[in-house]
């Protein structure tokens, strides 16, 4: 899945240190929204929550647009979506702790129907990964980000990205082996 | 057969579903919501402005956020001339045990030491250790560099004196911290890294241990205790631990080392806190606070932990560091999620001298 780093206009490319104007913001919104909803959906596993997270991230980006460099706008919104998803998970966990003993969220029925057994196993294993490992997997294999881009998004070192990604893939391989 | 990467990619594409078009009123709606939010944030912005103005008056580390990560180091003891950003990709800035030096951790690449006055490069972590992934956390009184390697609950603690070969001091811990006088090493132990050991590094290297952390049954984190912070006088230890589903919830307790009490009896700070950092006089504790999923940073007045925070900062999202700018004032330094560095002066922070040459990261 390609990520256009230019926010959508020649003006942005010619003024990469300029702030993000309202027109640029609109283009950024239209160009990035679908992919970011996919990102949020994978991190949250909640379609409605995914839209909310992306909307909220854009609200934050809009409020900060005069501080954002045009060439960093996509990265800014992407990081904001990841942060919103973390917040959403915390709120969900807090609510579930009050309402009932904490459990791993069951697989949504629509996901169950869409996936064959192997993918179902992988989906459950991905959902059960520690947060950082799951974020690294989604950013690497859904958004096709480089290790440096993932490190920048998650504010961790590239070494940590390698470690989390390696551990995640090892865990996922084990999950598949257990299936056989 | 496809590789695990291809299977993961395929699964994620299915789970992500078909692309959704943005709501047609999205940008307008976002703008309207942003306007409402801006109004709510007026007081916060004003506070930040006042705080930065105070920094500029007495000197320390100031920030120009217009260029994303610009940071200027100023010190009234040597003048207030503007100096360049020590590292254009800095993700974090720390102080070192050596006066006049600052340690900069870039987003990518090796950490490096720079002169706080000129910004000149003094050395890199790779040159000292031959390893960029090591994480320095202290400089001891003898100039030895303390650092950790590994992740989660398999962290190893190393010490390397000037010109010496690194020595592994502890293996298989979750986190560790050196006391301000450099004599004691505190680290997490136990199957869940839910107990604390303090080792006397002098003489026979005796140890004391504390356990009994009240851990919820559903705790799943591989290392429960993930941050340790010594009080400046070495009499107390703040420990941050996390628990629960997604491992996102945490608490901070402060253990009085003169007592033989269990960790369950240690003082529990209000809120869901993590990454504690003491101020130089031990009266303030800066932490990250989770308020209903919204991470903020606050400065807790330790002599009135139930009272209002001495300062708060809704924009900070990374661990904080206390910096003694002109050696009489204290400042919080942090960065936003996009790496903007800035300083914040807590209200009523007392002006105290910083003694000795050892300062925790």
């Amino acid at each position: 899945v390609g990520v256009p780093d230019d926010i959508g206009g020649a003006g942005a490319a010619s003024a990469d240190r300029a702030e993000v104007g309202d027109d640029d913001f609109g283009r950024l919104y239209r160009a990035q929204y679908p992919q970011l909803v996919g990102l949020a959906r994978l991190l949250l596993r909640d379609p409605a929550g995914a839209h909310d997270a992306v909307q909220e991230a854009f609200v934050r980006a809009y409020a900060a647009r005069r501080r954002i460099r045009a060439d960093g706008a996509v990265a800014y919104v992407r990081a904001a979506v990841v942060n919103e998803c973390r917040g959403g998970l915390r709120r969900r966990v807090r609510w579930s702790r009050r309402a009932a003993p904490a459990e791993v969220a069951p697989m949504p029925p629509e996901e169950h129907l869409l996936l064959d057994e192997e993918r179902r196993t992988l989906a459950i294993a991905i959902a059960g990964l520690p947060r950082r490992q799951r974020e690294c997997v989604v950013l690497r294999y859904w958004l096709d980000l480089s290790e440096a881009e993932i490190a920048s998004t998650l504010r961790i070192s590239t070494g940590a990205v390698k470690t989390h990604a390696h551990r995640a893939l090892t865990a996922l391989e084990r999950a598949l082996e257990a299936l056989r | 057969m496809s590789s695990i990467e291809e299977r993961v990619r395929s699964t994620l594409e299915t789970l992500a579903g078909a692309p959704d078009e943005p709501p047609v009123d999205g940008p307008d709606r976002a703008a309207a919501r942003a306007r409402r939010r801006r109004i709510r944030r007026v007081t916060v912005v004003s506070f930040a402005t006042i705080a930065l103005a105070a920094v500029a008056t007495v000197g320390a580390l100031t920030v120009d956020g217009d260029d994303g990560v610009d940071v200027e180091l100023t010190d009234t003891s040597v003048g207030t001339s503007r100096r360049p950003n020590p590292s254009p990709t800095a993700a974090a800035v720390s102080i070192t045990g050596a006066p006049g030096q600052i340690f900069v951790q870039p987003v990518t690449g090796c950490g490096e030491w720079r002169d706080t006055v000129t910004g000149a490069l003094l050395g890199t972590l790779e040159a000292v250790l031959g390893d960029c992934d090591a994480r320095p956390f202290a400089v001891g009184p003898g100039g030895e560099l303390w650092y950790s390697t590994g992740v989660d609950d398999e962290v190893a603690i190393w010490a390397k004196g000037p010109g010496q070969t690194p020595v592994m001091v502890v293996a298989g811990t979750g986190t560790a911290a050196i006391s301000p006088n450099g004599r004691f090493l505190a680290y997490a132990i136990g199957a869940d890294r839910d107990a604390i050991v303090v080792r006397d590094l002098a003489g026979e290297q005796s140890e004391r241990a504390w356990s009994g952390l009240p851990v919820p049954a559903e705790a799943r984190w591989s290392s429960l205790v993930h941050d340790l912070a010594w009080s400046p006088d070495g009499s107390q230890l703040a420990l941050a631990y996390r628990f629960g589903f997604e491992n996102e919830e945490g608490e901070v307790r402060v253990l009085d080392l003169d007592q033989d009490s269990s960790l369950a009896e240690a003082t529990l700070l209000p809120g869901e806190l993590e990454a504690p950092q003491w101020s130089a006089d031990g009266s303030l504790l800066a932490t990250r606070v989770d308020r209903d999923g919204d991470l903020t940073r606050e400065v807790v007045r330790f002599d009135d932990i139930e009272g209002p925070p001495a300062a708060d900062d809704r924009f900070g999202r990374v661990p904080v560091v206390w910096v003694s700018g002109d050696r009489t004032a204290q400042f919080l330094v942090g960065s936003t999620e996009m790496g903007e560095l800035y300083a914040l002066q807590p209200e009523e922070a007392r002006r105290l001298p910083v003694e000795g040459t050892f300062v925790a990261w």
Side-chain angles (χ1 to χ4, degrees):
Chain A
V1 180
V3 180
D5 280 334
D6 183 270
I7 60 173
S14 62
D16 63 347
R17 295 172 73 85
E19 65 188 38
V20 180
D22 285 352
D23 290 345
D24 293 331
F25 188 80
R27 284 196 292 274
L28 171 73
Y29 180 83
R30 287 187 291 277
Q32 296 297 323
Y33 188 95
Q35 194 172 52
L36 292 174
V37 167
L39 170 65
R41 196 175 282 153
L42 290 169
L43 295 177
L44 284 173
R45 301 186 69 209
D46 171 10
H51 281 278
D52 287 345
V54 175
Q55 287 275 323
E56 189 63 27
F58 272 104
V59 168
R60 285 179 188 269
Y62 186 87
R65 67 193 186 286
R66 306 210 182 282
R67 296 187 288 116
I68 304 173
R69 293 195 320 202
D71 61 353
V74 172
Y76 187 100
V77 180
R78 185 192 299 139
V81 168
V82 172
N83 283 328
E84 286 300 325
C85 290
R86 290 178 186 169
L89 285 170
R90 283 191 209 100
R91 285 186 286 274
R92 186 194 299 172
V93 169
R94 190 165 293 108
W95 174 250
S96 69
R97 282 167 64 86
R98 287 177 189 144
E103 293 178 357
V104 175
M107 175 174 283
E110 63 275 17
E111 288 186 9
H112 191 90
L113 293 173
L114 282 171
L115 300 170
D116 58 27
E117 188 175 12
E118 181 180 280
R119 286 177 178 175
R120 204 152 46 226
T121 300
L122 270 180
I124 292 170
I126 291 169
L129 291 172
R131 190 202 74 205
R132 281 234 193 273
Q133 291 184 22
R134 190 171 63 252
E135 289 170 351
C136 286
V137 164
V138 171
L139 292 171
R140 178 73 189 89
Y141 297 110
W142 164 247
L143 286 188
D144 273 337
L145 298 189
S146 67
E147 287 174 347
E149 288 171 320
I150 296 171
S152 177
T153 300
L154 301 181
R155 311 301 303 170
I156 58 179
S157 69
T158 51
V161 172
K162 288 178 186 170
T163 301
H164 290 308
H166 176 72
R167 290 184 175 196
L169 288 182
T170 301
L172 298 179
E173 278 182 318
R174 283 191 190 138
L176 286 181
E177 285 169 6
L179 183 66
R180 296 185 191 120
Chain B
M1 183 178 290
S2 61
S3 68
I4 182 69
E5 287 97 336
E6 288 168 354
R7 291 186 224 180
V8 169
R9 199 183 304 274
S10 168
T11 302
L12 291 175
E13 285 175 0
T14 306
L15 290 174
D20 286 337
E21 290 303 313
V24 291
D25 64 340
D28 293 337
R29 179 183 165 202
R33 291 175 66 183
R35 276 194 293 274
R36 288 196 295 273
R37 177 170 293 220
R38 265 208 309 282
I39 292 170
R40 290 202 303 271
R41 283 185 173 174
V42 164
T43 52
V44 177
V45 172
S46 297
F47 174 78
T49 305
I50 293 169
L52 287 175
V55 170
T57 301
V58 299
L61 185 148
T62 62
V63 174
D64 178 354
D66 289 341
D67 196 20
V69 291
D70 261 5
V71 54
E72 293 174 351
L73 299 168
T74 62
D75 185 336
T76 50
S77 66
V78 294
T80 55
S81 61
R82 298 169 72 89
R83 285 179 289 276
N85 181 352
S87 175
T89 57
V93 173
S94 306
I95 45 178
T96 73
Q101 292 185 12
I102 193 164
F103 184 79
V104 179
Q105 180 66 58
V107 174
T108 59
C110 242
E112 57 200 26
W113 285 267
R114 290 187 178 262
D115 188 297
T116 54
V117 178
T118 65
L121 179 67
L122 301 173
T124 68
L125 190 62
E126 187 173 30
V128 175
L129 299 178
D131 182 1
C132 278
D133 289 334
R135 296 179 296 278
F137 62 87
V139 177
E144 70 274 19
L145 179 67
W146 288 82
Y147 63 96
S148 63
T149 58
V151 295
D152 296 343
D153 59 342
E154 290 301 328
V155 174
I157 305 301
W158 302 73
K160 181 187 182 305
Q164 296 177 350
T165 302
V167 175
M168 184 189 292
V169 181
V170 175
T173 183
T175 184
I178 303 287
S179 66
N181 62 8
R183 177 168 172 177
F184 299 98
L185 173 70
Y187 58 96
I189 62 162
D192 293 324
R193 310 295 187 248
D194 57 348
I196 303 297
V197 163
V198 172
R199 181 186 296 181
D200 186 345
L201 297 171
E204 299 181 359
Q205 306 232 335
S206 59
E207 292 184 342
R208 293 176 65 197
W210 289 262
S211 60
L213 201 62
V215 179
E218 66 268 31
R220 300 194 310 160
W221 189 250
S222 53
S223 179
L224 295 174
V225 175
H226 60 87
D227 271 316
L228 291 169
W230 289 85
S231 64
D233 64 0
S235 68
Q236 294 176 305
L237 195 59
L239 52 124
Y241 58 101
R242 54 192 154 201
F243 55 82
F245 181 70
E246 290 293 338
N247 313 307
E248 282 298 314
E249 293 172 276
E251 293 176 339
V252 168
R253 285 176 184 265
V254 178
L255 174 68
D256 188 342
L257 297 172
D258 293 333
Q259 306 293 322
D260 287 324
S261 57
S262 80
L263 294 180
E265 298 169 90
T267 303
L268 175 66
L269 270 59
E272 295 177 359
L273 309 161
E274 59 178 27
Q277 299 280 340
W278 295 88
S279 63
D281 68 345
S283 67
L284 302 168
L285 201 61
T287 68
R288 279 184 296 198
V289 183
D290 186 336
R291 299 207 180 278
D292 273 342
D294 196 9
L295 274 183
T296 68
R297 305 186 322 162
E298 292 186 359
V299 178
V300 177
R301 205 183 305 276
F302 194 63
D303 58 3
D304 181 19
I305 59 176
E306 297 292 343
D312 62 48
D313 169 24
R314 289 196 207 171
F315 304 110
R317 288 177 179 268
V318 298
V320 293
V321 175
W322 291 96
V323 170
S324 302
D326 61 355
R327 294 177 179 269
T328 57
Q330 304 166 46
F331 301 92
L332 272 176
V333 177
S335 73
T336 68
E337 61 200 75
M338 291 309 294
E340 293 165 301
L341 295 161
Y342 57 92
L344 176 71
Q345 183 183 36
E347 292 174 315
E348 299 175 20
R350 279 179 278 167
R351 297 163 66 90
L352 293 172
V354 176
E355 298 176 354
T357 58
F358 175 83
V359 186
W361 291 91

